[in-house]
Amino acid sequence: MASHAQARQWPGGRKAAVVLTYDDALPSDLDIAIPALDAAGLKGTFFLVGNALVPEQIERWRAAAAEGHELGNHTVRHACPQASYPPARKLDTSESYDVPMMLAEIRTMNTMLTAIDGKLQHSLATPCGQHLAGGVDYLPELRISGLVRYTRSAGWPGGKVLDPMDVPCRWFDEKATGADMIAAVESAERSGGLLVIGFHGVGGDYLKVSAEAHAQLLAYLKAHADTIWVAPFSTVMDYVASHPEN
């Protein structure tokens, strides 16, 4: 029993790990989410879409990275299946890609990120949580390529072992309250597990959670820093990869 409990411990003897991720390089990330994280002394991971970046934001993203927030790869065009957001242009759907095209786009986005944060390695969040290009799963080729360190996808793919290249993520809709998100954290704490939370807009933009609910979650995480480890995605996954007994 003691051995099993010790194997599930996180750094500092904490009971759970929580990763806060934000997609699409939205203005509310810079204007609301990052200031809220900084005020709470927490660090998040921001998966940037290349064609969503504008020149006047670059220095702000660079400053966020310098302060310890992680910048991640969310591809250049965010190609999703046609059914995910009709009526998308055919060019912007994953059906119009093939595996080499998708890997080339991930490579290009890595270069853009390196130009911003100076880091040579980044993690990926797959567009719409799926990893298909022309109907073909590109994850096997991505594993071989070495282009990214880890990959955040969507729902739990099944099985008993966490796959660092297909990490599940929990999302909350616009009706979610701070209490809803805190309940998910408490569940992870009881099980000793890892909870990756995904956001788009915070207090603005689309698929948003309210700034109030987000702030309540951060306040809870700050107040429970002795039992909950909050760190960027790649930092937590480095720990997971080096502790397979977990």
Side-chain angles (χ1 to χ4, degrees):
M1 290 286 291
S3 175
H4 177 70
Q6 185 176 7
R8 295 182 65 83
Q9 283 185 349
W10 296 93
R14 294 176 177 88
K15 296 179 180 179
V18 173
V19 178
L20 304 171
T21 67
Y22 305 78
D23 287 12
D24 296 359
L26 299 176
S28 63
D29 292 342
L30 292 166
D31 296 338
I32 299 175
I34 289 176
L37 287 164
D38 289 341
L42 302 172
K43 304 302 178 186
T45 297
F46 294 83
F47 289 107
L48 307 187
V49 176
N51 66 2
L53 292 173
V54 294
E56 54 267 28
Q57 292 179 340
I58 298 301
E59 285 304 320
R60 298 179 70 186
W61 286 117
R62 183 171 289 131
E67 290 297 320
H69 298 290
E70 178 183 13
L71 303 187
N73 189 325
H74 205 27
T75 74
V76 176
R77 301 191 65 85
H78 197 283
C80 288
Q82 174 74 36
S84 296
Y85 48 27
R89 294 185 304 164
K90 184 176 180 180
L91 175 65
D92 296 324
T93 64
S94 61
E95 287 89 346
S96 68
Y97 281 62
D98 59 22
V99 172
M101 287 171 61
M102 182 59 74
L103 265 59
E105 184 166 308
I106 292 170
R107 183 181 297 108
T108 298
M109 189 63 204
N110 277 343
T111 301
M112 295 173 68
L113 290 170
T114 299
I116 297 172
D117 64 13
K119 297 181 179 180
L120 297 179
Q121 287 188 311
H122 297 88
S123 290
L124 170 75
T126 56
C128 293
Q130 57 82 47
H131 32 83
L132 295 176
V136 177
D137 187 351
Y138 61 83
L139 202 55
E141 290 298 320
L142 185 63
R143 294 179 193 275
I144 297 171
S145 72
L147 284 172
V148 298
R149 299 172 68 183
Y150 308 110
T151 301
R152 193 211 71 194
S153 295
W156 177 245
K160 296 181 179 180
V161 179
L162 178 66
D163 183 353
M165 288 293 288
D166 197 9
V167 179
C169 183
R170 175 74 183 272
W171 298 88
F172 293 89
D173 62 24
E174 296 192 10
K175 297 180 181 178
T177 65
D180 294 330
M181 292 184 278
I182 290 168
V185 173
E186 290 173 334
S187 178
E189 194 172 2
R190 287 191 297 270
S191 68
L194 163 66
L195 173 63
V196 180
I197 300 178
F199 298 101
H200 287 91
V202 176
D205 298 312
Y206 51 81
L207 298 175
K208 60 183 179 292
V209 297
S210 71
E212 179 183 7
H214 181 259
Q216 290 170 351
L217 170 64
L218 299 191
Y220 180 88
L221 294 172
K222 179 180 180 180
H224 294 79
D226 57 334
T227 58
I228 302 170
W229 181 40
V230 181
F233 182 68
S234 293
T235 301
V236 172
M237 293 312 302
D238 281 344
Y239 181 85
V240 170
S242 63
H243 293 77
E245 69 276 9
N246 276 355

